[in-house]
Amino acid sequence: MKISDMKLGDVAEIIGYNDGNATYRAKILALGLITGTKIKLINVAPLGDPVEFAVRGYHLSLRREEANILQIKKI
């Protein structure tokens, strides 16, 4: 499942990462988006980009394209 498949209020768990830029993947990991982390979709901008998540007690906004590096499963 991808971030683009989530609806507002959905909770998902990160299960892996899609192929992508290794440097960007390192940044994602540094933000705390590691395997096993639960994320909740809080808000989507009017044109669909960026998206806002609740992650580990803070809110994080990412471009949809950047967030789609995450492989998730809905909880």
Side-chain angles (χ1 to χ4, degrees):
M1 180 175 178
K2 290 181 152 185
I3 296 296
S4 54
D5 299 328
M6 292 179 74
K7 295 180 178 23
L8 288 179
D10 282 353
V11 177
E13 180 179 349
I14 299 171
I15 58 171
Y17 308 93
N18 296 318
D19 292 334
N21 184 331
T23 303
Y24 184 70
R25 183 175 171 186
K27 289 179 183 178
I28 288 288
L29 293 171
L31 290 171
L33 299 173
I34 60 173
T35 304
T37 300
K38 292 175 179 54
I39 61 173
K40 180 178 181 180
L41 184 60
I42 299 295
N43 203 1
V44 178
L47 295 177
D49 206 19
V51 292
E52 179 183 6
F53 300 97
V55 181
R56 299 180 175 261
Y58 69 95
H59 287 210
L60 174 67
S61 293
L62 294 172
R63 293 182 182 165
R64 194 174 288 269
E65 179 183 327
E66 295 170 340
N68 277 333
I69 194 172
L70 302 172
Q71 292 177 355
I72 57 173
K73 78 173 177 185
K74 191 173 173 180
I75 298 176

